[in-house]
Amino acid sequence: MKTFTLLSFLLLLTSGVTKAQSLLQGQVQDEAGQPVIGANVYLKGLYDGASTDETGHFKFTSKQTGPQTLVISFLGFSTLEREIDLTQPQSSLRFTLKPDYRQLQMVQISAGAFEASDEKRSALLTSRDIVTTAGATADIMGAINTLPGTQKVGEEGKLFVRGGDSYETRTFIDGLLVANPYNASVPDVPSRGRFSPFLFTGMAFSSGGYSAEYGQALSSALLLQSQDLAEESQTGISLMSVGASLSRTKRWANTSLAISGEYNNLRPYMALVPQRQKWLHMPESRAGSVVFRQKTSKTGMLKFYGTYTTSHLALEQLDLDHPTKAIAVGLQNQNLFLNTTYEEVIREKWTLQTGFTYTYNQEDIAAGEAQVNTGTHTWNAKAVMIRDLGHAVTLRTGLETQQKNYRQLYEETPAAQPRHGLVDDQNLAAFAEADVYLGQKLVARPGLRLERSSFLNQQALSPRLAVAYQLHRAGQVSFAYGHFYQTPENDYLKYHQSLRFERATHYILNYQRTANKRTLRVEGYYKSYQNLVRYNALQLQNATDFNSQGHGYARGVEVFWRDQKSIRHGDYWVSYSLLNTKRLYKGFPEEARPSFASTHNVSLVYKQMVNPIKTYVGTTFSYTSGRPYHNPNQEGFQQNTTKNYLDLSLNASFLTSIKGHSTILHASCTNLLGFNNVFGYRYSTSPDAQGQFAVQPIVPGAKRFALLALLISVNDGKKESAK
């Protein structure tokens, strides 16, 4: 009897369980009524679910009861959620998925933008390209100078883009402004970028028409995206002909920490290679950095980067007003840069990106008896919220503040009354921008940015718009338009005269075709300038009556071709820029082409992996037509032109190992053929007895620059994966 009762109870329990199971079945299709194959259909937060078959149908059972959320998802479509009640019998369900054009990424805005990310399929350059481009000597700015739109200004070493001065190109790390992206230098001695390309996974160079998120840049924006967690623990050793560095990286499951130190001294190199300048203290620098990464959650990341650099150089420069006398020019620089960012997904729909940077830069320059001491504190903070609105709109909004405290002390002689320059400015900005996908072939990015400067007591509203349309599977056309504002440089603001935001208006039309590892870009642009700073002298030190009545324009056509397919283990790109520009600004008496602007710029970059000897070889040929300069010994203004600039650079990297540790032996040489390049001419401020102004050519310190480096990576042999 007891056995019968037990069996009856088990049968009753089994029957109850069977009745508790719910059957869910139905079909998933797209907007055209076609079945979606392989879509995931499941109950939210549970393992109950199935995938659709070749007819778009699904079928599964669940023991759950009561209200539940059914989720239908598939790549390229917006995820669909439907509330159902499993206490009631479910009839056959039918769902229609709408395409999510943001995921498809069939069309992307490319006007004015060069992506250099290892992750984006539209990338035209990778981070490795920055390091292996011959002639760049592992400098980010040097590699970017092989792209169309840039001007080669050898005596500066900075980025000059589309007829814009170097200060018009701004650098951002993880969306935050870098106040001093270049190492300190003196006139006619080129500077380098402060940051190693190994710090970054992505680099986007925008020669115009960039996002409303970025302000204080008239011509272009260089956007650097820092690495996340380090892949593994390792020790890095670099021995170079101009210095050495040592780094240690430690990786834990969700944390990584890297500490590095670097010392550079050009004395050994300059002692071997004849220099055109007379050096009193050859360039020397010391640097240390800390990189901390913490994965705070599945979607959260905290980053910190800090670096401190000191540098010193001194040389003699000819005093053209006293030809028998040389002026000793010395520079000492200290730079502290701190960058902290945090990113997190909030409630599955909002993404928060926030960060803070601080820069302290101190420059002490001695030129003969004159002393110039300049100190700048710069803070930049930003908060950005990103929200997907439906299946075709992504909204991006943010607030930003930039605080600048600039102090300069100038003493012409020890007995002279010192002059002070003071600038305290806070720039507040707000912006909103949306990516709107109007189908699979059309995307628009309208944006608006509002800025206010406390020092100028002025605000500026910047409308911006970018549109891209896919012509065919491999090709698309893009258009960009916008207003861009920038506060004048501190060298002008310190005079405390009434100035306004400088302004540039961009119009860009672009065609890009990418297929089979080949990319063709053709881009035309027009850029107008308003409110440029003017004064009534050719030399800033003698200037008076500063105003914002300057103006100008730049227009041109650019072509870029890259082929990574035709040559086995080979890769090359060709870029060409045609520039027509004039300005009435600074001390110009009339509208003229500025001295940094050349009409024609050509770069040919070729790279080849030679597998039998495990060597990566690269070469870069550069051609730049002559740049204008003003000769006071002749009538007119900016009436002369330098000879054409030519350069053929070569590098090679031999890949090997030392006791099982990855090792690279690298050698590079710029201007291999020894072209006698002239960047311009410098004239005395007053004529001699015959009425002639003395002249001196501006030339490189040496015809060539050679570098040897041994890079050793000592890995701990274990890779961690983030949880």
Side-chain angles (χ1 to χ4, degrees):
M1 183 66 180
K2 291 181 178 180
T3 302
F4 176 77
T5 303
L6 179 60
L7 290 173
S8 299
F9 175 76
L10 291 175
L11 288 172
L12 181 62
L13 181 62
T14 303
S15 175
V17 171
T18 303
K19 290 181 180 179
Q21 289 184 334
S22 298
L23 175 64
L24 293 98
Q25 59 182 340
Q27 185 183 30
V28 179
Q29 59 186 18
D30 60 20
E31 290 184 322
Q34 298 299 312
V36 177
I37 304 171
N40 295 315
V41 184
Y42 59 93
L43 295 178
K44 190 173 184 178
L46 302 171
Y47 292 102
D48 300 342
S51 297
T52 56
D53 59 19
E54 63 275 5
T55 64
H57 285 86
F58 66 90
K59 182 178 182 180
F60 67 94
T61 59
S62 175
K63 297 179 181 179
Q64 301 299 318
T65 60
Q68 300 291 334
T69 301
L70 188 65
V71 181
I72 305 95
S73 66
F74 188 66
L75 182 64
F77 292 87
S78 296
T79 298
L80 180 65
E81 295 186 359
R82 181 74 58 83
E83 299 297 326
I84 58 176
D85 187 357
L86 294 185
T87 59
Q88 304 294 328
Q90 299 296 314
S91 58
S92 182
L93 304 170
R94 186 178 296 274
F95 302 100
T96 299
L97 294 183
K98 296 182 178 181
D100 189 333
Y101 302 118
R102 298 164 305 191
Q103 294 185 39
L104 292 173
Q105 291 186 333
M106 296 182 67
V107 57
Q108 301 179 31
I109 294 171
S110 59
F114 276 88
E115 294 288 350
S117 166
D118 296 327
E119 300 175 355
K120 295 187 178 181
R121 68 179 185 179
S122 62
L124 297 178
L125 296 179
T126 66
S127 299
R128 186 182 69 173
D129 289 323
I130 304 296
V131 181
T132 58
T133 297
T137 59
D139 181 26
I140 295 173
M141 312 305 178
I144 296 297
N145 260 318
T146 66
L147 297 179
T150 59
Q151 308 283 303
K152 288 183 174 59
V153 184
E155 71 273 28
E156 293 276 354
K158 300 177 181 180
L159 283 177
F160 292 74
V161 180
R162 289 183 173 174
D165 212 327
S166 61
Y167 76 92
E168 299 177 21
T169 296
R170 306 305 293 268
T171 301
F172 300 83
I173 294 180
D174 295 333
L176 296 166
L177 178 68
V178 180
N180 299 94
Y182 300 98
N183 290 323
S185 189
V186 295
D188 303 340
V189 177
S191 60
R192 287 174 55 88
R194 287 191 181 275
F195 305 104
S196 166
F198 297 108
L199 291 170
F200 308 106
T201 57
M203 303 176 195
F205 170 60
S206 180
S207 53
Y210 31 92
S211 165
E213 180 180 347
Y214 304 104
Q216 290 297 297
L218 281 185
S219 287
S220 98
L222 178 60
L223 313 177
L224 305 177
Q225 185 66 37
S226 66
Q227 295 181 354
D228 290 338
L229 292 173
E231 291 188 1
E232 56 188 328
S233 299
Q234 64 177 8
T235 300
I237 303 171
S238 299
L239 303 174
M240 297 171 288
S241 56
V242 295
S245 67
L246 177 65
S247 65
R248 173 60 182 168
T249 301
K250 181 63 178 178
R251 168 66 193 271
W252 296 274
N254 295 308
T255 309
S256 67
L257 176 66
I259 301 175
S260 66
E262 181 178 343
Y263 174 73
N264 290 307
N265 192 331
L266 269 65
R267 172 179 284 275
Y269 161 75
M270 289 182 169
L272 294 174
V273 179
Q275 300 293 306
R276 289 165 171 160
Q277 298 107 328
K278 183 178 179 181
W279 288 94
L280 304 175
H281 189 106
M282 296 176 183
E284 180 183 17
S285 67
R286 297 173 176 84
S289 66
V290 176
V291 181
F292 174 78
R293 303 288 187 257
Q294 176 68 48
K295 190 170 179 61
T296 57
S297 67
K298 290 183 178 180
T299 56
M301 178 67 71
L302 174 67
K303 299 180 180 182
F304 170 80
Y305 170 68
T307 181
Y308 177 74
T309 306
T310 64
S311 61
H312 181 203
L313 62 86
L315 73 164
E316 286 188 351
Q317 293 185 336
L318 182 65
D319 183 355
L320 293 177
D321 290 306
H322 304 87
T324 60
K325 180 182 177 182
I327 299 177
V329 179
L331 166 69
Q332 295 195 44
N333 173 250
Q334 300 177 64
N335 182 270
L336 173 66
F337 177 74
L338 305 175
N339 177 292
T340 301
T341 60
Y342 175 69
E343 181 173 351
E344 178 62 278
V345 177
I346 303 174
R347 296 183 179 179
E348 299 183 359
K349 294 183 178 181
W350 290 92
T351 298
L352 169 67
Q353 296 175 342
T354 185
F356 171 82
T357 64
Y358 167 73
T359 303
Y360 168 70
N361 192 70
Q362 177 70 38
E363 287 189 10
D364 299 318
I365 299 177
E369 292 186 328
Q371 299 281 334
V372 183
N373 307 107
T374 307
T376 309
H377 299 267
T378 308
W379 296 265
N380 179 215
K382 180 188 287 187
V384 181
M385 295 296 292
I386 305 170
R387 172 68 189 269
D388 291 339
L389 303 176
H391 67 283
V393 179
T394 298
L395 177 65
R396 193 179 189 92
T397 59
L399 298 173
E400 182 177 10
T401 179
Q402 296 175 19
Q403 180 74 39
K404 174 175 59 181
N405 301 117
Y406 170 91
R407 300 289 184 270
Q408 186 179 83
L409 176 66
Y410 173 68
E411 295 178 286
E412 189 170 359
T413 65
Q417 183 70 23
R419 288 184 285 179
H420 297 270
L422 307 174
V423 179
D424 292 320
D425 183 30
Q426 183 179 32
N427 185 287
L428 297 174
F431 63 88
E433 188 174 68
D435 283 352
V436 183
Y437 288 82
L438 306 170
Q440 296 186 18
K441 294 187 176 183
L442 181 64
V443 59
R445 180 181 294 161
L448 197 63
R449 182 181 180 89
L450 176 65
E451 298 186 47
R452 176 171 178 79
S453 166
S454 63
F455 188 87
L456 300 178
N457 192 26
Q458 183 188 3
Q459 55 275 342
L461 187 64
S462 306
R464 301 182 189 178
L465 174 67
V467 179
Y469 178 75
Q470 185 183 42
L471 298 174
H472 47 81
R473 185 172 184 83
Q476 65 173 48
V477 62
S478 298
F479 170 79
Y481 159 82
H483 291 177
F484 301 85
Y485 291 90
Q486 188 165 348
T487 305
E489 293 182 278
N490 294 325
D491 281 339
Y492 308 135
L493 296 178
K494 68 185 180 184
Y495 294 103
H496 290 263
Q497 299 200 21
S498 179
L499 296 175
R500 305 177 61 189
F501 278 117
E502 295 183 305
R503 170 180 155 181
T505 304
H506 296 195
Y507 302 86
I508 305 171
L509 183 63
N510 162 282
Y511 172 76
Q512 178 170 312
R513 186 182 190 279
T514 302
N516 201 24
K517 293 187 177 182
R518 298 182 180 95
T519 299
L520 172 66
R521 285 172 58 101
V522 180
E523 188 160 290
Y525 65 90
Y526 176 78
K527 180 167 57 173
S528 64
Y529 288 96
Q530 297 83 34
N531 304 334
L532 297 181
V533 174
R534 288 196 67 196
Y535 47 82
N536 65 352
L538 292 177
Q539 300 296 328
L540 179 58
Q541 58 266 31
N542 300 318
T544 58
D545 299 331
F546 288 83
N547 60 68
S548 295
Q549 298 176 7
H551 56 82
Y553 69 88
R555 58 195 177 204
V557 176
E558 299 165 358
V559 179
F560 178 85
W561 166 256
R562 183 170 188 178
D563 185 352
Q564 299 171 275
K565 179 72 174 179
S566 299
I567 303 174
R568 181 176 173 82
H569 303 306
D571 175 17
Y572 71 91
W573 69 79
V574 181
S575 67
Y576 168 73
S577 302
L578 172 65
L579 170 66
N580 179 9
T581 182
K582 285 187 177 181
R583 287 186 171 199
L584 179 63
Y585 82 135
K586 293 187 177 180
F588 281 27
E590 61 186 53
E591 191 176 63
R593 188 155 55 105
S595 59
F596 54 77
S598 51
T599 302
H600 304 281
N601 284 266
V602 178
S603 291
L604 171 58
V605 180
Y606 179 74
K607 304 178 183 184
Q608 179 70 50
M609 183 64 190
V610 185
N611 281 324
I613 57 174
K614 297 182 179 179
T615 300
Y616 200 77
V617 180
T619 183
T620 299
F621 173 75
S622 301
Y623 163 83
T624 297
S625 61
R627 292 157 45 192
Y629 67 93
H630 176 64
N631 182 353
N633 293 317
Q634 297 179 1
E635 292 185 0
F637 178 70
Q638 296 289 87
Q639 69 284 72
N640 285 0
T641 303
T642 65
K643 65 179 183 178
N644 298 334
Y645 171 91
L646 295 169
D647 181 279
L648 179 66
S649 297
L650 181 69
N651 65 10
S653 299
F654 174 59
L655 313 180
T656 184
S657 64
I658 297 178
K659 293 187 177 181
H661 302 298
S662 298
T663 303
I664 299 175
L665 179 60
H666 178 82
S668 66
C669 182
T670 64
N671 195 19
L672 194 65
L673 300 181
F675 295 109
N676 290 310
N677 292 313
V678 177
F679 302 132
Y681 294 89
R682 191 178 304 283
Y683 289 85
S684 60
T685 58
S686 57
D688 58 18
Q690 288 73 39
Q692 293 294 300
F693 292 83
V695 60
Q696 180 188 28
I698 303 172
V699 296
K703 282 188 177 182
R704 304 173 182 86
F705 178 78
L707 176 69
L708 293 175
L710 180 66
L711 313 175
I712 304 173
S713 177
V714 182
N715 298 327
D716 289 3
K718 179 181 179 181
K719 288 189 177 183
E720 295 282 355
S721 58
K723 295 180 180 179

